[in-house]
Short mmCIF file of all heavy atoms in Angstrom, two decimals:
data_model
loop_
_atom_site.label_atom_id
_atom_site.label_comp_id
_atom_site.label_asym_id
_atom_site.label_seq_id
_atom_site.Cartn_x
_atom_site.Cartn_y
_atom_site.Cartn_z
N VAL A 347 37.98 27.34 2.20
CA VAL A 347 36.86 27.06 3.10
C VAL A 347 36.89 28.16 4.27
O VAL A 347 35.79 28.52 4.68
CB VAL A 347 37.06 25.66 3.72
CG1 VAL A 347 36.14 25.40 4.96
CG2 VAL A 347 36.88 24.66 2.75
N ALA A 348 37.98 28.64 4.63
CA ALA A 348 38.14 29.62 5.70
C ALA A 348 37.50 30.91 5.20
O ALA A 348 36.73 31.60 5.96
CB ALA A 348 39.55 29.84 6.02
N LYS A 349 37.67 31.22 3.85
CA LYS A 349 36.98 32.45 3.31
C LYS A 349 35.52 32.24 3.38
O LYS A 349 34.79 33.18 3.59
CB LYS A 349 37.53 32.66 1.95
CG LYS A 349 38.99 33.16 1.91
CD LYS A 349 39.44 33.37 0.48
CE LYS A 349 40.91 33.84 0.46
NZ LYS A 349 41.38 34.06 -0.97
N LEU A 350 35.01 31.01 2.95
CA LEU A 350 33.57 30.73 3.04
C LEU A 350 33.01 30.97 4.44
O LEU A 350 31.91 31.49 4.64
CB LEU A 350 33.29 29.30 2.52
CG LEU A 350 33.04 29.11 1.07
CD1 LEU A 350 32.74 27.70 0.69
CD2 LEU A 350 31.81 29.95 0.64
N MET A 351 33.76 30.43 5.41
CA MET A 351 33.33 30.56 6.73
C MET A 351 33.29 32.04 7.27
O MET A 351 32.42 32.42 7.98
CB MET A 351 34.26 29.74 7.66
CG MET A 351 34.13 28.18 7.42
SD MET A 351 35.20 27.10 8.46
CE MET A 351 34.18 27.26 10.07
N ASP A 352 34.30 32.82 6.75
CA ASP A 352 34.28 34.20 7.02
C ASP A 352 33.03 34.95 6.48
O ASP A 352 32.39 35.81 7.04
CB ASP A 352 35.49 34.90 6.36
CG ASP A 352 36.75 34.67 7.22
OD1 ASP A 352 36.63 34.29 8.32
OD2 ASP A 352 37.82 34.91 6.67
N PHE A 353 32.65 34.51 5.27
CA PHE A 353 31.42 35.11 4.57
C PHE A 353 30.23 34.67 5.46
O PHE A 353 29.29 35.56 5.52
CB PHE A 353 31.34 34.51 3.10
CG PHE A 353 29.98 34.80 2.50
CD1 PHE A 353 29.76 36.07 1.98
CD2 PHE A 353 29.00 33.86 2.37
CE1 PHE A 353 28.57 36.42 1.37
CE2 PHE A 353 27.87 34.09 1.76
CZ PHE A 353 27.59 35.42 1.23
N ALA A 354 30.16 33.52 5.89
CA ALA A 354 29.03 33.05 6.66
C ALA A 354 28.85 33.49 8.03
O ALA A 354 27.83 33.51 8.67
CB ALA A 354 28.94 31.53 6.54
N ARG A 355 30.04 33.94 8.59
CA ARG A 355 30.04 34.30 9.96
C ARG A 355 29.31 35.59 10.23
O ARG A 355 29.39 36.59 9.52
CB ARG A 355 31.55 34.52 10.43
CG ARG A 355 31.67 34.63 11.96
CD ARG A 355 33.19 34.64 12.38
NE ARG A 355 33.81 35.80 12.06
CZ ARG A 355 34.86 35.92 11.10
NH1 ARG A 355 35.22 34.78 10.56
NH2 ARG A 355 35.34 37.06 10.85
N LYS A 356 28.40 35.59 11.23
CA LYS A 356 27.53 36.75 11.48
C LYS A 356 28.16 37.84 12.36
O LYS A 356 27.79 39.01 12.22
CB LYS A 356 26.22 36.33 12.22
CG LYS A 356 25.33 35.39 11.31
CD LYS A 356 24.04 35.08 12.15
CE LYS A 356 23.18 34.17 11.25
NZ LYS A 356 22.70 34.81 10.01
N GLU A 357 29.16 37.54 13.13
CA GLU A 357 29.79 38.48 13.97
C GLU A 357 31.24 38.48 13.72
O GLU A 357 31.87 37.50 13.43
CB GLU A 357 29.54 38.25 15.44
CG GLU A 357 28.01 38.34 15.84
CD GLU A 357 27.77 38.06 17.37
OE1 GLU A 357 28.80 37.81 18.06
OE2 GLU A 357 26.63 38.12 17.78
N SER A 358 31.84 39.74 13.84
CA SER A 358 33.22 39.90 13.71
C SER A 358 33.92 39.61 15.04
O SER A 358 33.50 40.14 16.14
CB SER A 358 33.57 41.31 13.20
OG SER A 358 34.91 41.41 13.03
N ILE A 359 35.02 38.94 14.98
CA ILE A 359 35.70 38.59 16.26
C ILE A 359 36.50 39.72 16.84
O ILE A 359 36.56 39.93 18.04
CB ILE A 359 36.68 37.36 16.07
CG1 ILE A 359 35.83 36.14 15.59
CG2 ILE A 359 37.45 37.05 17.29
CD1 ILE A 359 36.56 34.96 15.15
N GLY A 360 37.20 40.46 15.93
CA GLY A 360 38.14 41.46 16.44
C GLY A 360 37.74 42.96 16.22
O GLY A 360 38.57 43.69 15.82
N ARG A 361 36.40 43.22 16.37
CA ARG A 361 35.99 44.61 16.12
C ARG A 361 36.54 45.57 17.18
O ARG A 361 36.55 45.19 18.37
CB ARG A 361 34.51 44.69 16.18
CG ARG A 361 33.82 44.10 14.92
CD ARG A 361 32.32 44.15 14.93
NE ARG A 361 31.91 45.55 14.95
CZ ARG A 361 30.51 45.84 14.85
NH1 ARG A 361 29.61 44.94 14.89
NH2 ARG A 361 30.21 47.15 14.78
N GLN A 362 37.00 46.74 16.75
CA GLN A 362 37.56 47.65 17.57
C GLN A 362 37.50 49.05 16.93
O GLN A 362 37.12 49.24 15.70
CB GLN A 362 39.06 47.47 17.99
CG GLN A 362 39.85 47.42 16.69
CD GLN A 362 41.28 46.95 17.03
OE1 GLN A 362 41.52 45.80 17.44
NE2 GLN A 362 42.36 47.83 16.89
N ASP A 363 37.62 50.19 17.69
CA ASP A 363 37.52 51.52 17.10
C ASP A 363 38.63 51.70 16.09
O ASP A 363 39.83 51.47 16.49
CB ASP A 363 37.63 52.56 18.18
CG ASP A 363 36.39 52.52 19.06
OD1 ASP A 363 35.44 51.60 18.86
OD2 ASP A 363 36.17 53.36 19.99
N VAL A 364 38.40 52.15 14.89
CA VAL A 364 39.37 52.28 13.78
C VAL A 364 39.24 53.57 13.14
O VAL A 364 38.03 54.10 12.85
CB VAL A 364 39.27 51.12 12.81
CG1 VAL A 364 40.10 51.35 11.63
CG2 VAL A 364 39.50 49.79 13.44
N ASP A 365 40.33 54.19 12.86
CA ASP A 365 40.34 55.33 11.95
C ASP A 365 40.57 54.92 10.54
O ASP A 365 41.71 54.38 10.26
CB ASP A 365 41.54 56.31 12.37
CG ASP A 365 41.71 57.60 11.60
OD1 ASP A 365 41.19 57.54 10.45
OD2 ASP A 365 42.20 58.56 12.05
N VAL A 366 39.55 54.95 9.77
CA VAL A 366 39.64 54.44 8.39
C VAL A 366 40.70 55.13 7.51
O VAL A 366 41.41 54.48 6.78
CB VAL A 366 38.23 54.50 7.71
CG1 VAL A 366 38.30 54.09 6.27
CG2 VAL A 366 37.20 53.74 8.52
N ASN A 367 40.85 56.37 7.67
CA ASN A 367 41.93 57.14 7.02
C ASN A 367 43.26 56.64 7.29
O ASN A 367 44.09 56.48 6.39
CB ASN A 367 41.83 58.62 7.32
CG ASN A 367 40.68 59.40 6.66
OD1 ASN A 367 40.03 58.78 5.76
ND2 ASN A 367 40.42 60.64 7.03
N GLU A 368 43.54 56.42 8.52
CA GLU A 368 44.87 55.87 8.98
C GLU A 368 45.04 54.45 8.44
O GLU A 368 46.18 54.18 7.82
CB GLU A 368 44.92 55.78 10.49
CG GLU A 368 46.29 55.35 11.02
CD GLU A 368 46.30 55.37 12.56
OE1 GLU A 368 45.43 55.79 13.16
OE2 GLU A 368 47.28 54.81 13.09
N SER A 369 44.09 53.66 8.42
CA SER A 369 44.17 52.24 7.86
C SER A 369 44.50 52.36 6.34
O SER A 369 45.38 51.56 5.88
CB SER A 369 42.93 51.47 8.09
OG SER A 369 42.67 51.23 9.53
N ILE A 370 43.81 53.19 5.61
CA ILE A 370 44.02 53.36 4.18
C ILE A 370 45.46 53.82 3.94
O ILE A 370 46.22 53.33 3.12
CB ILE A 370 43.09 54.33 3.55
CG1 ILE A 370 41.57 53.68 3.63
CG2 ILE A 370 43.39 54.59 2.10
CD1 ILE A 370 40.45 54.73 3.27
N THR A 371 45.91 54.86 4.71
CA THR A 371 47.23 55.46 4.44
C THR A 371 48.27 54.39 4.77
O THR A 371 49.24 54.14 3.94
CB THR A 371 47.44 56.54 5.41
OG1 THR A 371 46.35 57.60 5.21
CG2 THR A 371 48.73 57.32 5.17
N LEU A 372 48.22 53.53 5.76
CA LEU A 372 49.14 52.53 6.15
C LEU A 372 49.12 51.38 5.09
O LEU A 372 50.17 50.78 4.83
CB LEU A 372 48.89 51.97 7.54
CG LEU A 372 49.10 52.96 8.68
CD1 LEU A 372 48.75 52.37 10.03
CD2 LEU A 372 50.59 53.42 8.75
N PHE A 373 48.01 51.24 4.50
CA PHE A 373 47.81 50.04 3.58
C PHE A 373 48.14 50.43 2.17
O PHE A 373 48.03 49.58 1.29
CB PHE A 373 46.37 49.51 3.78
CG PHE A 373 46.22 48.09 3.45
CD1 PHE A 373 46.97 47.12 4.04
CD2 PHE A 373 45.34 47.65 2.52
CE1 PHE A 373 46.79 45.73 3.81
CE2 PHE A 373 45.14 46.32 2.23
CZ PHE A 373 45.87 45.39 2.85
N LYS A 374 48.30 51.70 1.89
CA LYS A 374 48.45 52.20 0.59
C LYS A 374 49.52 51.56 -0.18
O LYS A 374 49.35 51.14 -1.37
CB LYS A 374 48.73 53.72 0.61
CG LYS A 374 48.94 54.35 -0.75
CD LYS A 374 49.32 55.77 -0.67
CE LYS A 374 49.68 56.34 -2.08
NZ LYS A 374 50.15 57.79 -2.04
#
Side-chain angles (χ1 to χ4, degrees):
V347 169
K349 291 179 179 179
L350 268 180
M351 293 181 74
D352 281 344
F353 170 76
R355 194 170 70 245
K356 293 185 180 295
E357 295 183 359
S358 182
I359 298 173
R361 286 179 66 177
Q362 60 188 63
D363 292 2
V364 171
D365 182 336
V366 176
N367 284 350
E368 183 178 351
S369 295
I370 294 171
T371 303
L372 294 174
F373 207 56
K374 178 185 175 185

